[in-house]
Amino acid sequence: MAVTSGIAVLGPVEGRAREVLTPEALQFVAALHTSFDGERRRLLGERVRRQEALDAGELPRFLEETWEDDWSVPPAPADLRERKVEITGPVDRKMIINALNSGASAFMADFEDATSPTWSNVVEGQVNLADAVAGTIELETVDKTYRLGPSPATLMVRPRGWHLPEKHLEIAGAPASGSLVDFGLFVFHNARPLLDRGSGPYFYLPKLESRHEARLWAGVFRAAEDALGLERGTIRATVLVENVLAAFEMDEILWELRDHALGLNAGRWDYIFSIVKKFRTRPEFVLPDRAQVSMTVPFMRAYTELLVRTCHRRGAHAMGGMAAFVPSRRDPEVNETALAKVREDKAREAGDGFDGTWVAHPDLVTPAREELDRVIGDAPNQLDRLRDDVQVEPEDLLDVRVPSGQVTEAGLETNVSVGLRYLDSWLRGTGAVTIFNLMEDAATAEISRSQIWQWVRHGALLADGRPVTPELVRALGDRELDRETPARRLFDEVALADRFVDFLTLPGYDLLD
């Protein structure tokens, strides 16, 4: 890697931030940026060109290139051979401690969908993770002292997606890649300490749309390993398949990352969002209420079964989707109904061959694990279930029919309410919010606002025959937030503008400190 000069830190560097933003760490990040940002930008341009082709009527297909059949990813490291339940959440100190103590197999510390990327959140998150790796993390509050227990979950980290910048760090006069900042700071400070503790630098990679974007990450991993004196394949990653285009290249994505690949994850909420986004000009892709798009509808079923088949063919873990329910301390009846649905969802995933699943709350770890154990038993995974019975055609991944699906007034009201409440929280610096007993993050907020855009664009009719119009959406929004608040203005921009905004976090980021 060529090390560049001209690194400018535009955010405050105070207190323990100095431990993270050392000259050596910044030079490491700058070297990654100098080597790979040009290709990152080129690939973002490819996304634009691909979208233009989809808008013109093109549909995705499986690649026709001939790929080797006789290969597999390396075996998982010892502390990730069993991944039956993984918990996810933001990188704040209390969440990290509670998640690591939750009894889950692994904890994914999330700089992306669950973290509002304020400068303080990004830097403090790195401090918190370094303390977690060292085993010294603790938090003293008025009511309680939080410390790590004796058997913490295995730590994994999700950096921001390729599309997101880090405006507080400029390299050669340009904002750094948020992905490379999050990855680079963490791996620079923690790769060796993790290895010394018998673990390793493990990552989740979000928002990939093609094998070429996976190839870019593989290049970053190799460069980081070389610069830090790590053996090839020390850095391992699971890819979130949360974009419909990536679903057509799952095998190729694993191939590009092969020395570093751990598996694939069915990122269900962003996947639904991607259907709306990628086919936004097509009336035949209009989806009903979010609550009606279950994991058993045709396109979601095809996507998840193909993911399991692809992973197990290559010896890679297939990880299931998120259970977003947050138990209520005051309403046992709500809990009973929701937990039954969580168990049903996890039993289906285990039956389909998934090796593990995701939850958003510590109280869900035990019921989720029980459902995985019923199928997998004492084995760490079910990689031996090859699912050769699964045959998925391109049309299956694009069959968005939802039996009896409707766009309802209640569904519209929920989308408006969730979208506005989440954005209001996100702009205040909190990226994971409990709304209506569900853990909402940027992915679910994307569904809310993109569905509204889609329904308005295509004149969707409510069950009572009324069309979804901007005026109706604004009237519902008036019940939640004043039109002059930053969150309301942002929501109206990403839900009602003539031009579809690819990610709400891009205009939102301009409003953050």
Side-chain angles (χ1 to χ4, degrees):
M1 297 184 295
V3 177
T4 183
S5 59
I7 306 167
V9 180
L10 305 182
V13 183
E14 301 167 343
R16 296 194 63 197
R18 297 185 183 92
E19 299 174 22
V20 170
L21 301 169
T22 64
E24 296 81 8
L26 291 174
Q27 288 286 358
F28 179 79
V29 171
L32 291 176
H33 180 92
T34 300
S35 297
F36 297 102
D37 193 59
E39 178 65 4
R40 179 185 76 91
R41 292 177 180 275
R42 188 189 73 79
L43 290 173
L44 292 178
E46 285 298 315
R47 289 186 182 183
V48 174
R49 286 183 280 277
R50 186 71 186 277
Q51 185 63 55
E52 291 171 349
L54 295 173
D55 290 345
E58 182 180 287
L59 289 174
R61 289 287 183 267
F62 294 121
L63 299 179
E64 296 181 359
E65 291 95 333
T66 300
W67 293 81
E68 290 183 59
D69 275 341
D70 188 20
W71 64 273
S72 60
V73 306
D79 55 344
L80 282 178
R81 286 176 190 157
E82 187 269 288
R83 303 171 65 184
K84 289 180 182 175
V85 183
E86 295 181 347
I87 189 169
T88 77
V91 292
D92 68 84
R93 207 164 183 83
K94 181 179 176 181
M95 176 68 205
I96 290 173
I97 297 170
N98 285 341
L100 290 173
N101 289 341
S102 67
S105 310
F107 163 52
M108 187 200 76
D110 188 11
F111 281 98
E112 207 223 20
D113 283 345
T115 293
S116 174
T118 65
W119 178 241
S120 61
N121 283 349
V122 168
V123 177
E124 289 171 14
Q126 293 284 349
V127 171
N128 295 338
L129 291 178
D131 287 349
V133 171
T136 60
I137 188 170
E138 64 177 45
L139 176 65
E140 194 85 43
T141 70
V142 174
D143 301 319
K144 183 178 179 181
T145 299
Y146 296 84
R147 293 190 181 92
L148 284 186
S151 301
T154 298
L155 179 63
M156 308 181 79
V157 175
R158 174 160 69 170
R160 282 169 282 180
W162 282 132
H163 59 290
L164 291 169
E166 177 46 72
K167 64 184 178 183
H168 301 94
L169 181 61
E170 287 189 352
I171 299 170
S177 159
S179 308
L180 297 178
V181 170
D182 298 341
F183 165 80
L185 290 176
F186 180 79
V187 79
F188 180 84
H189 289 294
N190 299 292
R192 283 292 177 190
L194 283 164
L195 291 168
D196 292 342
R197 289 174 172 268
S199 188
Y202 308 141
F203 295 90
Y204 261 98
L205 305 181
K207 305 291 189 293
L208 299 191
E209 297 193 11
S210 72
R211 65 197 185 281
H212 298 120
E213 295 182 15
R215 185 183 302 167
L216 177 57
W217 268 118
V220 171
F221 292 167
R222 289 192 294 269
E225 288 170 342
D226 291 345
L228 298 174
L230 305 176
E231 292 184 9
R232 183 69 74 237
T234 296
I235 299 171
R236 301 296 295 273
T238 301
V239 174
L240 289 125
V241 181
E242 48 192 358
N243 187 286
V244 62
L245 301 184
F248 286 85
E249 300 185 24
M250 289 192 278
D251 202 45
E252 292 81 2
I253 286 170
L254 286 175
W255 167 257
E256 295 292 352
L257 283 162
R258 55 196 176 278
D259 290 339
H260 307 278
L262 279 167
L264 303 175
N265 174 282
R268 60 176 70 174
W269 304 124
D270 265 309
Y271 194 82
I272 294 170
F273 163 54
S274 81
I275 292 287
V276 177
K277 177 167 72 171
K278 291 302 176 185
F279 306 113
R280 57 202 185 213
T281 64
R282 314 283 284 274
E284 65 270 29
F285 284 91
V286 173
L287 295 176
D289 291 358
R290 161 186 159 185
Q292 299 173 31
V293 186
S294 71
M295 298 304 295
T296 60
V297 300
F299 76 98
M300 297 298 284
R301 188 82 177 141
Y303 146 66
T304 52
E305 290 201 313
L306 180 60
L307 188 147
V308 173
R309 183 181 188 275
T310 302
C311 283
H312 287 183
R313 184 184 178 201
R314 303 304 182 191
H317 288 137
M319 301 301 297
M322 170 67 76
F325 172 64
V326 176
S328 170
R329 304 300 184 193
R330 296 185 298 272
D331 196 334
E333 187 175 340
V334 167
N335 288 349
E336 184 178 354
T337 301
L339 283 173
K341 292 181 179 178
V342 169
R343 286 185 176 276
E344 180 183 1
D345 180 54
K346 301 314 172 189
R348 176 194 51 76
E349 288 183 329
D352 285 347
F354 281 95
D355 303 291
T357 191
W358 272 16
V359 299
H361 192 277
D363 287 358
L364 301 184
V365 170
T366 295
R369 185 179 293 280
E370 288 173 351
E371 297 306 322
L372 271 291
D373 283 342
R374 287 186 211 281
V375 175
I376 303 177
D378 294 332
N381 52 60
Q382 44 187 341
L383 290 172
D384 56 343
R385 286 194 61 192
L386 299 182
R387 292 306 310 270
D388 289 334
D389 57 305
V390 172
Q391 299 295 325
V392 173
E393 300 298 328
E395 295 76 17
D396 300 322
L397 292 172
L398 302 174
D399 182 1
V400 299
R401 292 172 297 167
V402 177
S404 303
Q406 291 181 312
V407 178
T408 69
E409 183 173 6
L412 177 60
E413 289 175 347
T414 297
N415 278 348
V416 171
S417 183
V418 168
L420 283 169
R421 294 186 192 192
Y422 180 78
L423 286 178
D424 186 56
S425 174
W426 191 87
L427 290 174
R428 296 175 191 272
T430 300
V433 191
T434 301
I435 305 174
F436 306 137
N437 289 111
L438 293 176
M439 185 60 72
E440 305 287 354
D441 64 9
T444 52
E446 290 283 27
I447 297 176
S448 294
R449 69 91 181 183
S450 65
Q451 280 202 308
I452 291 170
W453 190 95
Q454 185 187 53
W455 294 343
V456 170
R457 164 68 181 256
H458 296 290
L461 300 179
L462 300 177
D464 61 9
R466 288 179 296 154
V468 180
T469 63
E471 293 73 26
L472 176 57
V473 173
R474 290 190 180 99
L476 293 173
D478 289 341
R479 302 177 186 176
E480 297 281 345
L481 281 177
D482 184 271
R483 295 191 184 192
E484 296 307 311
T485 60
R488 180 63 188 277
R489 292 197 301 269
L490 176 58
F491 178 80
D492 287 352
E493 176 184 355
V494 299
L496 296 175
D498 291 338
R499 178 179 172 275
F500 187 86
V501 177
D502 280 341
F503 294 97
L504 63 82
T505 47
L506 289 172
Y509 188 52
D510 293 335
L511 304 176
L512 290 180
D513 293 332

